[in-house]
Amino acid sequence: MRAGHAFLVLLPVALSLADCRREAPPAAGSGHPNVLFVTIDTLRADHVGCYGHAGAATPTLDALAARGVRFATAIAHVPLTGPSHASLLTGRSPLGHGFRDNGGYALPVGVTTVAEDFRRAGYRTAAFVSGFPLDRRFGFDRGFDAYDDHLPRGNDPRRQPYVERLADATTEAVLRWLSAPLPAGARAAPFFLWVHYYDPHAPYEPPADLRARFPSSPYDGEIAFVDAQLGRLLRRLEERSPRTVVLVTADHGESLGEHGEETHGLFVYDATLRVPWIMAGPGLPSGRVAGVVARGIDVAPTLLDYAGLPARADVEGRSLRAAAEGKDQADAPAYAESLFPQLQYGWAPLHAWRTARFKLIEAPRPELYDLGADGGEIRDRAREEQGRVDEMRRHLRAAMSTRTPSAAKEMDAETTERLGALGYLGGGGAPAPGSALRDPKDGVRLVTRLGRGMETARTDPAVAIRELTAVLDEDPKMLVARRTRAVAYAAAGQHAAAIADLRRLEKEGHLSAEDGIVLGDNLRFAGRSGEAIRVLERTARENPRFAQADLSLAEVFIKEGRRADAAAAYERVLGLVPDHIEALRGLGDLALLEDRPDAAAARYGRILEVDPADAGAMTKLGVVRMRAGRTEEATTLFRKAVEREPQNGEALLYLAGALAANGRPAEALPFFERALQAGQKSSMALNGLGLTRLAVGDRPGAAAAFRESLRLDPKQPDVARTLAEIAAASPSN
Ligand SMILES: [Zn+2]
């Protein structure tokens, strides 16, 4: 049985290796344009100005539509980031590519991406993504010469680290790539560049000016921010690479409360499936609105067409060039699904069949909508139009039973096993409608409570624990509620309770890679380092493309004083992701700890090459310079770090210390005070403040700082003595 599996898996690998021989690159100027493909996460079409949203601030997208083509109706196949991007990049529906849910799935090895097509044709390929679901471990890097998935840790302890890169930082990285010289020996060739922005994804927290401009709709503020950043990118392209085809779309929309859903993922209504599709550039007419229904699977063949390249035969979508140019092109039906309710909640999955006018949603209680008359999908017509339901169901079932098995041959064993376990393989199509599973529309009330719990898991864990416990009391199979409650317990410092929830998931066979990290971290915080190491080592072994396990492992090793093991874990991360910022930082910190300043400086310097705005690396490089006696250079670095992150306590403290040590106590004072306000309340910081106050003649202030320092750490004889001397020198009271 296993051998049979292995054979099926090996066959397409061999085929795709044979395909990897590149054709001769097209000579520069041979007519192939550059291609810029932009996906804006969570952008629903009707929140863009040119799609009719009066309150939108989207001048870049509106101008792009004015000089190019806009598809009035564009449809995503899945309301989830990973699966939908898989369709955009492969030209296949989820039935065809097999990537059915975020996390737990990866793009199967036998499925070809459009980036591979472009690379084979001699294009330079690069991608810049901004959200964790597109991390390279999910296989989206296939076909890209450069895949930049650097996500900053962030400085907000209420937020999960490494989840999002903001649009300005992503744009900076793209602009650096665009202006970098070609690698030595590389021939000038057109590029295929994919840029993904994540900002409109919840939580909606636009920069301050846009928050003020959109007080009641911060989601629109996030969209406006991305639009402005996209504007910067397009202006640079216009200057340097005017022959570029640009296509902007989204992976899915956002419900914003429609049908009781706040965000996306659960339902397959148009609120989360209708997205914008705007394109412009060489060969495209201007100011045209195309009426044909555009589907996610049509993106890849359309891009290839405009680049003068053929689409592969196994692509399910088609080029929409004819429609874009105003010629007749008939509508094609779209398949859509969400297995999220099944995989995450244990409820019934949703499958949909959408024609230009009607949509059938297959659920325990099926729904039918007339999109022409009822775009909001309010009035379910399934009962009164049974004939249409039956007919559309036949198409849906046919699609589900014919496409899945062919794709399954190209899937890796793990994906095949997962789909098999769900009943998606073997020609059966989907689990039968009317099954005993809960209909997602009946569970939406629970989802609202779950959403509240997820939002507050880090900011207000007591509320989150209450909400999530209520959800679990009603439906103990809701895995998301349990894994989120573990995060809330951890935030509340209740590590034993967090561990109990995660061990239960483990026992039931539902411990995801992310859960493994949370479990490892809780064990570490609970002082159970040995268990933490075992869990994290197993997570790393079972998820070899998942860098986070080794990062957490390194932290446990450091705590245990096993520096060589920590360094080895960081090096393994660099083996996966050569410029992983946190691994570079960890190795820099270890070198600093072991007094190897050159090695430390090299690591921090590398971080600043990748992300010149990294305040942490600036600060640590400043420490290295300080130790080498290069005080001025150090002070400059600390100052830059503080400018970049005015609340960075570490940078504030080092800047204050450097100024004080350099005979500038008056300048140092406010930075000591800001460092303390930013949470750097240590005896070291207080002693620095005390000495600096003494230097400017503020004896009472100095005494207060020393007293507080002694309260934190009474065993400081020097400080006690200084305090006594101040008291002795002061006039008696
Ligand atoms: Zn998304």
Side-chain angles (χ1 to χ4, degrees), residues 24 50 84 115 263 304 332 339 376 447 473 492 537 562 568 582 644 733:
C50 58
S84 184
T263 57
L304 289 167
L339 306 199
V447 172
D473 284 347
E537 282 183 336
R562 293 167 58 179
E582 294 314 317
R644 190 71 207 177
N733 45 1

Side-chain angles (χ1 to χ4, degrees), residues 34-207:
N34 301 309
V35 175
L36 168 66
F37 174 44
V38 178
T39 53
I40 302 177
D41 213 284
T42 322
L43 175 58
R44 60 182 271 174
D46 60 4
H47 276 244
V48 178
C50 58
Y51 280 86
H53 189 47
T58 52
T60 306
L61 291 172
D62 302 345
L64 194 68
R67 74 176 170 91
V69 176
R70 172 171 78 81
F71 285 88
T73 306
I75 296 300
H77 301 277
V78 198
L80 294 164
T81 306
S84 184
H85 276 94
S87 287
L88 293 168
L89 291 169
T90 65
R92 298 186 184 198
S93 76
L95 301 170
H97 61 60
F99 190 128
R100 310 296 281 268
D101 193 16
N102 286 337
Y105 284 83
L107 204 56
V109 284
V111 177
T112 307
T113 69
V114 71
E116 291 175 279
D117 293 333
F118 276 110
R119 183 152 79 176
R120 197 175 298 108
Y123 271 65
R124 294 187 291 134
T125 55
F128 294 80
V129 302
S130 308
F132 174 72
L134 300 179
D135 187 280
R136 72 185 64 202
R137 75 192 182 101
F138 302 119
F140 293 106
D141 59 338
R142 197 174 310 143
F144 288 104
D145 302 330
Y147 194 82
D148 179 340
D149 54 1
H150 291 301
L151 304 180
R153 169 179 258 282
N155 292 310
D156 187 347
R158 301 168 306 159
R159 291 289 201 76
Q160 200 176 348
Y162 313 109
V163 166
E164 174 177 27
R165 169 163 63 178
L166 300 181
D168 50 352
T170 303
T171 303
E172 290 296 336
V174 179
L175 295 183
R176 279 198 298 279
W177 181 83
L178 279 172
S179 53
L182 287 180
R187 294 171 57 174
F191 60 72
F192 170 65
L193 172 61
W194 168 34
V195 179
H196 163 256
Y197 291 114
Y198 201 56
D199 304 63
H201 197 283
Y204 316 127
E205 293 174 342

Side-chain angles (χ1 to χ4, degrees), residues 531-668:
E531 279 175 85
I533 290 170
R534 276 196 297 282
V535 166
L536 292 168
E537 282 183 336
R538 190 188 65 208
T539 306
R541 198 167 53 241
E542 288 172 0
N543 303 275
R545 282 169 63 87
F546 189 25
Q548 189 59 43
D550 273 320
L551 287 177
S552 283
L553 204 48
E555 292 195 42
V556 192
F557 285 139
I558 289 169
K559 191 178 169 211
E560 293 293 294
R562 293 167 58 179
R563 287 184 199 162
D565 289 326
Y570 285 132
E571 292 290 357
R572 285 196 296 276
V573 174
L574 293 185
L576 285 176
V577 189
D579 285 325
H580 197 290
I581 285 179
E582 294 314 317
L584 289 169
R585 198 190 313 283
L587 287 166
D589 291 353
L590 281 171
L592 200 57
L593 206 63
E594 293 169 347
D595 208 20
R596 292 182 286 118
D598 292 345
R603 302 298 191 179
Y604 299 133
R606 183 69 199 130
I607 295 177
L608 291 171
E609 281 171 28
V610 177
D611 180 5
D614 192 299
M618 281 177 215
T619 306
K620 288 292 177 60
L621 192 57
V623 173
V624 177
R625 299 296 180 238
M626 193 83 186
R627 288 193 190 169
R630 292 153 72 174
T631 317
E632 278 307 314
E633 211 181 316
T635 309
T636 306
L637 282 162
F638 296 144
R639 243 186 237 290
K640 262 177 68 185
V642 166
E643 265 165 41
R644 190 71 207 177
E645 287 181 8
Q647 297 300 317
N648 186 321
E650 195 180 33
L652 287 163
L653 186 58
Y654 278 116
L655 176 57
L659 289 167
N662 221 16
R664 290 143 80 177
E667 245 183 289

